[in-house]
Amino acid sequence: MNVKNIFLGALALSMVGGVAFAGALDEPDNMAPFFTDSSMKTMKPMAEFKAAFMAMPKEKQDAMMKECQDAAMSKPHAEFCGNLNMLGGAN
């Protein structure tokens, strides 16, 4: 019985922890303003992309910039990070 409780506790912590480790680039609410559609397949033009980025709080801007500097994090978001890098961190 004690092993079962430990296992369930570990499972619960891993599920909660997984959400905590999600980065800024993995949050749909953070990424939606940069896309033209709800499926987030088509990126907005650079002028609109920049406007959306500049409208975000500085903490989110910094988190996105940091994640785009990490090769593992930026790979699945290559187009987004490319646009962000073109902005040159204009925040």
Side-chain angles (χ1 to χ4, degrees):
M1 175 109 169
N2 205 10
V3 172
K4 182 179 176 183
N5 288 339
I6 292 171
F7 173 74
L8 290 174
L11 180 62
L13 283 174
S14 69
M15 290 179 4
V16 171
V19 172
F21 291 122
L25 300 180
D26 295 325
E27 291 290 328
D29 290 343
N30 289 346
M31 299 300 284
F34 300 99
F35 292 89
T36 60
D37 55 349
S38 61
S39 65
M40 291 195 269
K41 300 279 184 208
T42 307
M43 193 83 59
K44 287 184 176 179
M46 191 57 161
E48 292 178 41
F49 183 95
K50 182 177 181 178
F53 183 71
M54 298 306 286
M56 298 186 101
K58 178 129 173 57
E59 297 80 32
K60 283 187 182 181
Q61 290 177 356
D62 292 344
M64 288 180 162
M65 291 295 292
K66 182 178 178 182
E67 287 181 29
C68 279
Q69 302 308 312
D70 181 340
M73 287 298 292
S74 66
K75 190 172 186 176
H77 306 285
E79 184 181 7
F80 175 84
C81 288
N83 282 354
L84 197 59
N85 289 331
M86 278 196 284
L87 291 177
N91 50 344

